Amino acid sequence: MITTIIFDFGDVFLNLEKEAQMEAFKHLGLEGLNEELTAKNDLFEKGEISESDFLESFIKFIPNASVEEIKKAWNTIIGDFPLYRLEFLQMLSYKYKLFLLTNTDEIHIARFEKKVGISFFSDFYQCFEKVYYSYEMGMRKPDEKIFTTILNKHELSPKRTLFVDDKKVNTDAAESLGIHVWNLQVGKEDVVDLHKQKQLPL
């Protein structure tokens, strides 16, 4: 029986506007993240480089853009967070032990909190036993260590734990540790269908 659920954040609760971000960077002269910028993003999501170091790494490829313009373009990925998903999560929190585990950075979290406001994000965070951000943990999914850290710290049984994420590489890593998983298909499935997908009592 599942007693604990670990949720991803982006494209599970918060809608991500990936095309809008691509368009914003294209407007600045960047066709998309290349290998160098992707590597910098991984470091930033693990808290290994500062916000300024990360943003300035774009200057090499779009020298005419300001740091402020780059930051604004970076944040265009933060979409809306439908209220019905928060209400669903609040209902779940009465029956299950919940955790949030997301690969993210301080820029995106600050933008999310500003966009939804303190009342909304406080209600959201209060649903969880603990919120885990990759940049605070110094590791990111799909590294197995990020899952074992949470399992060990909270004495969770993999057999009683469900992990929900939109990226298969992440759910595969969790599943290899014996954790139950749901690889949510963005655009086809919604997190509020959890009880139908995994036959969980609500």
Side-chain angles (χ1 to χ4, degrees), residues 167-192:
K167 292 185 174 60
K168 190 172 185 299
V169 65
N170 295 338
T171 53
D172 283 352
E175 194 169 34
S176 73
L177 297 171
I179 299 171
H180 297 271
V181 300
W182 176 23
N183 176 215
L184 186 150
Q185 305 299 302
V186 180
K188 297 179 181 178
E189 299 171 328
D190 196 295
V191 70
V192 299

Side-chain angles (χ1 to χ4, degrees), residues 3-197:
T3 57
T4 301
I5 308 173
I6 303 173
F7 286 104
D8 178 34
F9 185 24
D11 272 341
V12 172
F13 293 109
L14 177 73
N15 291 324
L16 298 182
E17 304 292 343
K18 296 171 185 174
E19 288 188 9
Q21 188 188 61
M22 286 179 63
E23 284 300 314
F25 275 116
K26 194 178 289 186
H27 183 71
L28 295 178
L30 184 68
E31 285 300 317
L33 294 188
N34 52 42
E35 284 185 17
E36 186 174 330
L37 290 173
T38 299
K40 288 284 187 182
N41 179 49
D42 288 356
L43 291 175
F44 191 39
E45 285 190 346
K46 290 191 287 188
E48 293 182 9
I49 60 173
S50 67
E51 176 180 326
S52 59
D53 286 342
F54 173 67
L55 293 173
E56 286 168 9
S57 66
F58 284 82
I59 299 294
K60 175 180 175 181
F61 305 99
I62 39 176
N64 294 324
S66 69
V67 169
E68 201 52 47
E69 286 174 325
I70 292 166
K71 184 175 182 177
K72 186 176 180 181
W74 184 245
N75 272 335
T76 54
I77 198 170
I78 304 299
D80 67 316
F81 187 143
L83 179 61
Y84 72 87
R85 289 183 186 155
L86 175 60
E87 292 170 340
F88 171 74
L89 189 66
Q90 289 172 322
M91 180 178 65
L92 271 188
S93 68
Y94 290 109
K95 298 189 176 183
Y96 297 92
K97 187 180 286 188
L98 305 180
F99 294 88
L100 189 71
L101 173 62
T102 178
N103 289 347
T104 190
D105 61 69
E106 56 191 276
I107 299 176
H108 282 162
I109 293 305
R111 173 60 186 147
F112 156 68
E113 292 182 352
K114 184 175 181 180
K115 185 169 185 174
V116 301
I118 189 168
S119 177
F120 190 99
F121 75 69
S122 294
D123 286 348
F124 175 57
Y125 294 152
Q126 284 171 11
C127 292
F128 301 101
E129 299 273 326
K130 178 101 172 119
V131 171
Y132 284 102
Y133 294 139
S134 61
Y135 73 91
E136 293 178 338
M137 296 181 77
M139 59 186 99
R140 64 194 296 281
K141 299 173 290 186
D143 184 351
E144 287 185 2
K145 188 179 178 185
I146 204 167
F147 298 106
T148 57
T149 296
I150 295 174
L151 292 175
N152 294 337
K153 186 172 182 180
H154 299 280
E155 299 181 338
L156 304 177
S157 164
K159 293 179 180 179
R160 291 175 174 267
T161 302
L162 172 67
F163 173 58
V164 180
D165 196 293
D166 64 300
K167 292 185 174 60
K168 190 172 185 299
V169 65
N170 295 338
T171 53
D172 283 352
E175 194 169 34
S176 73
L177 297 171
I179 299 171
H180 297 271
V181 300
W182 176 23
N183 176 215
L184 186 150
Q185 305 299 302
V186 180
K188 297 179 181 178
E189 299 171 328
D190 196 295
V191 70
V192 299
D193 298 324
L194 178 67
H195 60 294
K196 298 175 188 174
Q197 293 289 336

